[in-house]
Each structure stands twice: as C-alpha cells, then as structure tokens.
Amino acid sequence: MQQLAAELKIDFQSEKYKDAYSRINAIVIEGEQEAHDNYITLGEMLPELKDELIRLSKMESRHKKGFEACGRNLSVKPDMPFAQKFFSGLHENFQKAAAEGQVVTCLLIQSLIIECFAIAAYNIYIPVADDFARKITEGVVKDEYSHLNFGEVWLKENFAQSKAELEAANRQNLPIVWKMLNEVENDAHVLAMEKEALVEDFMIQYGETLSNIGFTTRDIMKMSAYGLTA
Ligand code: Y39
Ligand code: FE
Ligand code: FE
Ligand code: FE
C-alpha cells in the first residue's frame, strides 16, 4: 500500500520532513486536546447530553494519544508552543462564547468548523502518510465524522432559533480558518498536502453540513464567502 507516498518518494526521515512534522503533529495533538476540553465544556452546557459529550471527549483523548505515537515513531518532538498559538483564535472565541452560554456558537466552532478542518486534513494526509500514521489516522477520521454528525443533528433540530447566531459565529470564525490554513501551507506542502486540496475538502464538507442543518444554497454561498481573502 502507501502507493502515493511511495510514488512521491517522500523521505519521512529527512530533516526537512521532520521539521515540518514537528509543527503539523503538534497542531493535531493540540487540536485533539482542545477538542477534548471543548466537549467537556459542551457537556456542562447541555446537561441532558452530558454522557454522550463525555463519550466524544474520551474519543478526542484517544486521538491525541494516537498522534503522539505518530510523532514518537518518526522521532519528532512536537512544537507545542507553536500549536497553542496556532489555535489561539478559535480557542479564545470558544471560551468567550462558553462564558456567555452561547451553545450554538460553541457547537459551530467545535463540531462544525474544527471537525470539518480535521476531516479535510486527515483525508488529505492519509494517502501521503507513513504506514504507522496512516493506520492511526484512518481510525481517527471515522470518529471525526461522528463528531460532525453530533453538531449537525443538534443544530438541525434547533435550526430556527439558532440560525442568526450561526450566521454571526460563521462570520466571526471562518476567516480564522483561512488564516490558519495560510499559516500551515508551507509545512503541509512538505508533507505533500496541498493547500488547495485542504480548502476544497473543507468547503465541500462544511457546505454539505450547513445544507443538512437547513441553510439554503444562497445562505451557504454568502456564509462561505466570509474571510476568503484572509
Ligand atoms: O475534533 C477534532 O479531533 C479536531 C481537533 C482536530 C483538529 C485537527 C486540526 C487539524 C489541522 C491540521 C492542519 C494540517 C494541514
Ligand atoms: Fe479528534
Ligand atoms: Fe473530533
Ligand atoms: Fe505545491
């Protein structure tokens, strides 16, 4: 297997690969940790769904352990300070929304935006990953679809009273995603992950999700346009 990675002659042990991996691996580890924390917080905000949200948070912890093993397997030390800075925009917005009890905003940030980002990144990574990381990532991405589905179902059931807050939260947070993609573009390229593919996968996933929740094509076009120039 691992055909594309072999065809592209990716040298997983080169200093250049390992240097880029120290940041991308850290981003993923930090992302999984933050996802864990965010689902715990959401469980406090939605007490009737607490058990399910705790179950999701435990999956995120497992993902984090899996990606830590991927870094160790390549003898890479993840650059965690870089990753914390990378996530600070979405982190702060989630904390602010949680403090104000804005559960719709919290769900948009974690269960739609961050999960779609994860699904795009993991799907693009799998064909170009080393054998060890590919197996781990294949298991993880299946879970991420179920996390996205959780947010989708809740927001669909509560669409009428959530619509305005979703539009505002999208406007505030989507530009941050484009900024994050720009920041990671060069390192992703070293791992044979192209920014254009990441953007395409993210937008397909995110647009499909907004449609399932109840937004019209017209709404989705407007919402997708925010921050494209970031
Ligand atoms: O729900 C989750 O598990 C999400 C936290 C994980 C997000 C991972 C973010 C990946 C972005 C990587 C960018 C690489 C090009
Ligand atoms: Fe995860
Ligand atoms: Fe997740
Ligand atoms: Fe390129």
Side-chain angles (χ1 to χ4, degrees), residues 97-117:
E100 284 165 24
Q102 295 179 310
V103 70
V104 170
T105 299
C106 289
L107 281 170
L108 176 119
I109 293 173
Q110 174 58 47
S111 298
L112 304 192
I113 285 189
I114 298 181
E115 298 294 353
C116 284
F117 196 14

PDB file of all heavy atoms in Angstrom, residues 97-117:
ATOM      1  N   ALA A  97     -17.526  32.450  24.111  1.00  0.00           N
ATOM      2  CA  ALA A  97     -18.905  32.001  23.856  1.00  0.00           C
ATOM      3  C   ALA A  97     -19.398  31.119  25.008  1.00  0.00           C
ATOM      4  O   ALA A  97     -20.545  31.244  25.452  1.00  0.00           O
ATOM      5  CB  ALA A  97     -18.971  31.246  22.533  1.00  0.00           C
ATOM      6  N   ALA A  98     -18.523  30.239  25.507  1.00  0.00           N
ATOM      7  CA  ALA A  98     -18.926  29.353  26.606  1.00  0.00           C
ATOM      8  C   ALA A  98     -19.257  30.174  27.847  1.00  0.00           C
ATOM      9  O   ALA A  98     -20.260  29.919  28.533  1.00  0.00           O
ATOM     10  CB  ALA A  98     -17.813  28.348  26.903  1.00  0.00           C
ATOM     11  N   ALA A  99     -18.434  31.185  28.136  1.00  0.00           N
ATOM     12  CA  ALA A  99     -18.664  32.034  29.321  1.00  0.00           C
ATOM     13  C   ALA A  99     -20.004  32.751  29.210  1.00  0.00           C
ATOM     14  O   ALA A  99     -20.633  33.052  30.226  1.00  0.00           O
ATOM     15  CB  ALA A  99     -17.527  33.039  29.474  1.00  0.00           C
ATOM     16  N   GLU A 100     -20.438  33.028  27.989  1.00  0.00           N
ATOM     17  CA  GLU A 100     -21.713  33.728  27.798  1.00  0.00           C
ATOM     18  C   GLU A 100     -22.868  32.769  27.529  1.00  0.00           C
ATOM     19  O   GLU A 100     -23.970  33.200  27.195  1.00  0.00           O
ATOM     20  CB  GLU A 100     -21.568  34.760  26.671  1.00  0.00           C
ATOM     21  CG  GLU A 100     -20.805  35.991  27.153  1.00  0.00           C
ATOM     22  CD  GLU A 100     -20.308  36.895  26.043  1.00  0.00           C
ATOM     23  OE1 GLU A 100     -20.892  36.865  24.935  1.00  0.00           O
ATOM     24  OE2 GLU A 100     -19.327  37.622  26.302  1.00  0.00           O
ATOM     25  N   GLY A 101     -22.622  31.477  27.648  1.00  0.00           N
ATOM     26  CA  GLY A 101     -23.688  30.490  27.453  1.00  0.00           C
ATOM     27  C   GLY A 101     -24.166  30.365  26.019  1.00  0.00           C
ATOM     28  O   GLY A 101     -25.277  29.900  25.774  1.00  0.00           O
ATOM     29  N   GLN A 102     -23.316  30.754  25.057  1.00  0.00           N
ATOM     30  CA  GLN A 102     -23.723  30.686  23.641  1.00  0.00           C
ATOM     31  C   GLN A 102     -23.408  29.298  23.079  1.00  0.00           C
ATOM     32  O   GLN A 102     -22.411  29.086  22.375  1.00  0.00           O
ATOM     33  CB  GLN A 102     -22.985  31.753  22.838  1.00  0.00           C
ATOM     34  CG  GLN A 102     -23.368  33.171  23.246  1.00  0.00           C
ATOM     35  CD  GLN A 102     -22.605  34.208  22.448  1.00  0.00           C
ATOM     36  OE1 GLN A 102     -21.381  34.139  22.337  1.00  0.00           O
ATOM     37  NE2 GLN A 102     -23.314  35.175  21.905  1.00  0.00           N
ATOM     38  N   VAL A 103     -24.302  28.364  23.354  1.00  0.00           N
ATOM     39  CA  VAL A 103     -24.050  26.977  22.974  1.00  0.00           C
ATOM     40  C   VAL A 103     -23.998  26.803  21.449  1.00  0.00           C
ATOM     41  O   VAL A 103     -23.227  25.994  20.930  1.00  0.00           O
ATOM     42  CB  VAL A 103     -25.078  26.028  23.638  1.00  0.00           C
ATOM     43  CG1 VAL A 103     -26.464  26.207  23.042  1.00  0.00           C
ATOM     44  CG2 VAL A 103     -24.631  24.579  23.539  1.00  0.00           C
ATOM     45  N   VAL A 104     -24.776  27.599  20.721  1.00  0.00           N
ATOM     46  CA  VAL A 104     -24.789  27.493  19.252  1.00  0.00           C
ATOM     47  C   VAL A 104     -23.428  27.881  18.683  1.00  0.00           C
ATOM     48  O   VAL A 104     -22.888  27.196  17.795  1.00  0.00           O
ATOM     49  CB  VAL A 104     -25.921  28.379  18.662  1.00  0.00           C
ATOM     50  CG1 VAL A 104     -25.801  28.494  17.150  1.00  0.00           C
ATOM     51  CG2 VAL A 104     -27.286  27.829  19.071  1.00  0.00           C
ATOM     52  N   THR A 105     -22.854  28.944  19.213  1.00  0.00           N
ATOM     53  CA  THR A 105     -21.522  29.378  18.766  1.00  0.00           C
ATOM     54  C   THR A 105     -20.483  28.318  19.106  1.00  0.00           C
ATOM     55  O   THR A 105     -19.612  27.991  18.280  1.00  0.00           O
ATOM     56  CB  THR A 105     -21.158  30.732  19.414  1.00  0.00           C
ATOM     57  OG1 THR A 105     -22.124  31.704  19.007  1.00  0.00           O
ATOM     58  CG2 THR A 105     -19.765  31.194  19.010  1.00  0.00           C
ATOM     59  N   CYS A 106     -20.557  27.768  20.317  1.00  0.00           N
ATOM     60  CA  CYS A 106     -19.611  26.716  20.715  1.00  0.00           C
ATOM     61  C   CYS A 106     -19.725  25.516  19.787  1.00  0.00           C
ATOM     62  O   CYS A 106     -18.712  24.941  19.376  1.00  0.00           O
ATOM     63  CB  CYS A 106     -19.854  26.300  22.168  1.00  0.00           C
ATOM     64  SG  CYS A 106     -19.361  27.567  23.363  1.00  0.00           S
ATOM     65  N   LEU A 107     -20.947  25.124  19.450  1.00  0.00           N
ATOM     66  CA  LEU A 107     -21.133  23.980  18.542  1.00  0.00           C
ATOM     67  C   LEU A 107     -20.594  24.295  17.152  1.00  0.00           C
ATOM     68  O   LEU A 107     -19.979  23.442  16.508  1.00  0.00           O
ATOM     69  CB  LEU A 107     -22.611  23.592  18.463  1.00  0.00           C
ATOM     70  CG  LEU A 107     -23.144  22.772  19.644  1.00  0.00           C
ATOM     71  CD1 LEU A 107     -24.661  22.655  19.579  1.00  0.00           C
ATOM     72  CD2 LEU A 107     -22.509  21.374  19.694  1.00  0.00           C
ATOM     73  N   LEU A 108     -20.823  25.532  16.681  1.00  0.00           N
ATOM     74  CA  LEU A 108     -20.304  25.875  15.351  1.00  0.00           C
ATOM     75  C   LEU A 108     -18.777  25.793  15.340  1.00  0.00           C
ATOM     76  O   LEU A 108     -18.180  25.223  14.420  1.00  0.00           O
ATOM     77  CB  LEU A 108     -20.760  27.267  14.899  1.00  0.00           C
ATOM     78  CG  LEU A 108     -20.138  27.646  13.543  1.00  0.00           C
ATOM     79  CD1 LEU A 108     -21.174  27.894  12.468  1.00  0.00           C
ATOM     80  CD2 LEU A 108     -19.170  28.797  13.642  1.00  0.00           C
ATOM     81  N   ILE A 109     -18.143  26.345  16.384  1.00  0.00           N
ATOM     82  CA  ILE A 109     -16.678  26.357  16.404  1.00  0.00           C
ATOM     83  C   ILE A 109     -16.129  24.926  16.482  1.00  0.00           C
ATOM     84  O   ILE A 109     -15.282  24.533  15.668  1.00  0.00           O
ATOM     85  CB  ILE A 109     -16.139  27.205  17.581  1.00  0.00           C
ATOM     86  CG1 ILE A 109     -16.476  28.692  17.369  1.00  0.00           C
ATOM     87  CG2 ILE A 109     -14.617  27.014  17.730  1.00  0.00           C
ATOM     88  CD1 ILE A 109     -16.141  29.590  18.562  1.00  0.00           C
ATOM     89  N   GLN A 110     -16.582  24.131  17.458  1.00  0.00           N
ATOM     90  CA  GLN A 110     -16.003  22.794  17.628  1.00  0.00           C
ATOM     91  C   GLN A 110     -16.571  21.776  16.646  1.00  0.00           C
ATOM     92  O   GLN A 110     -15.823  21.142  15.894  1.00  0.00           O
ATOM     93  CB  GLN A 110     -16.173  22.291  19.073  1.00  0.00           C
ATOM     94  CG  GLN A 110     -15.705  20.838  19.265  1.00  0.00           C
ATOM     95  CD  GLN A 110     -14.245  20.619  18.888  1.00  0.00           C
ATOM     96  OE1 GLN A 110     -13.384  21.406  19.288  1.00  0.00           O
ATOM     97  NE2 GLN A 110     -13.947  19.571  18.109  1.00  0.00           N
ATOM     98  N   SER A 111     -17.896  21.622  16.669  1.00  0.00           N
ATOM     99  CA  SER A 111     -18.469  20.462  15.966  1.00  0.00           C
ATOM    100  C   SER A 111     -18.619  20.686  14.468  1.00  0.00           C
ATOM    101  O   SER A 111     -18.710  19.717  13.726  1.00  0.00           O
ATOM    102  CB  SER A 111     -19.824  20.098  16.561  1.00  0.00           C
ATOM    103  OG  SER A 111     -19.653  19.733  17.911  1.00  0.00           O
ATOM    104  N   LEU A 112     -18.649  21.940  14.017  1.00  0.00           N
ATOM    105  CA  LEU A 112     -18.700  22.146  12.570  1.00  0.00           C
ATOM    106  C   LEU A 112     -17.328  22.549  12.046  1.00  0.00           C
ATOM    107  O   LEU A 112     -16.693  21.809  11.294  1.00  0.00           O
ATOM    108  CB  LEU A 112     -19.753  23.203  12.187  1.00  0.00           C
ATOM    109  CG  LEU A 112     -21.199  22.974  12.661  1.00  0.00           C
ATOM    110  CD1 LEU A 112     -22.139  23.940  11.956  1.00  0.00           C
ATOM    111  CD2 LEU A 112     -21.678  21.549  12.470  1.00  0.00           C
ATOM    112  N   ILE A 113     -16.818  23.724  12.470  1.00  0.00           N
ATOM    113  CA  ILE A 113     -15.585  24.241  11.863  1.00  0.00           C
ATOM    114  C   ILE A 113     -14.382  23.339  12.176  1.00  0.00           C
ATOM    115  O   ILE A 113     -13.669  22.905  11.263  1.00  0.00           O
ATOM    116  CB  ILE A 113     -15.336  25.699  12.312  1.00  0.00           C
ATOM    117  CG1 ILE A 113     -16.302  26.626  11.565  1.00  0.00           C
ATOM    118  CG2 ILE A 113     -13.884  26.100  12.054  1.00  0.00           C
ATOM    119  CD1 ILE A 113     -16.043  28.109  11.729  1.00  0.00           C
ATOM    120  N   ILE A 114     -14.141  23.069  13.441  1.00  0.00           N
ATOM    121  CA  ILE A 114     -12.931  22.293  13.781  1.00  0.00           C
ATOM    122  C   ILE A 114     -13.042  20.861  13.255  1.00  0.00           C
ATOM    123  O   ILE A 114     -12.076  20.305  12.732  1.00  0.00           O
ATOM    124  CB  ILE A 114     -12.617  22.332  15.296  1.00  0.00           C
ATOM    125  CG1 ILE A 114     -12.335  23.788  15.729  1.00  0.00           C
ATOM    126  CG2 ILE A 114     -11.421  21.439  15.638  1.00  0.00           C
ATOM    127  CD1 ILE A 114     -11.978  23.975  17.207  1.00  0.00           C
ATOM    128  N   GLU A 115     -14.222  20.253  13.358  1.00  0.00           N
ATOM    129  CA  GLU A 115     -14.381  18.883  12.848  1.00  0.00           C
ATOM    130  C   GLU A 115     -14.209  18.832  11.327  1.00  0.00           C
ATOM    131  O   GLU A 115     -13.586  17.898  10.797  1.00  0.00           O
ATOM    132  CB  GLU A 115     -15.729  18.281  13.258  1.00  0.00           C
ATOM    133  CG  GLU A 115     -15.940  18.129  14.765  1.00  0.00           C
ATOM    134  CD  GLU A 115     -15.023  17.118  15.452  1.00  0.00           C
ATOM    135  OE1 GLU A 115     -14.263  16.400  14.759  1.00  0.00           O
ATOM    136  OE2 GLU A 115     -15.049  17.067  16.698  1.00  0.00           O
ATOM    137  N   CYS A 116     -14.756  19.816  10.598  1.00  0.00           N
ATOM    138  CA  CYS A 116     -14.565  19.832   9.133  1.00  0.00           C
ATOM    139  C   CYS A 116     -13.096  20.039   8.785  1.00  0.00           C
ATOM    140  O   CYS A 116     -12.586  19.444   7.819  1.00  0.00           O
ATOM    141  CB  CYS A 116     -15.418  20.929   8.484  1.00  0.00           C
ATOM    142  SG  CYS A 116     -17.166  20.513   8.366  1.00  0.00           S
ATOM    143  N   PHE A 117     -12.415  20.863   9.550  1.00  0.00           N
ATOM    144  CA  PHE A 117     -10.981  21.095   9.353  1.00  0.00           C
ATOM    145  C   PHE A 117     -10.227  19.774   9.571  1.00  0.00           C
ATOM    146  O   PHE A 117      -9.350  19.392   8.778  1.00  0.00           O
ATOM    147  CB  PHE A 117     -10.524  22.163  10.347  1.00  0.00           C
ATOM    148  CG  PHE A 117      -9.190  22.800  10.053  1.00  0.00           C
ATOM    149  CD1 PHE A 117      -8.546  22.665   8.825  1.00  0.00           C
ATOM    150  CD2 PHE A 117      -8.566  23.583  11.025  1.00  0.00           C
ATOM    151  CE1 PHE A 117      -7.316  23.272   8.583  1.00  0.00           C
ATOM    152  CE2 PHE A 117      -7.335  24.191  10.800  1.00  0.00           C
ATOM    153  CZ  PHE A 117      -6.713  24.035   9.579  1.00  0.00           C
TER     154      PHE A 117
END
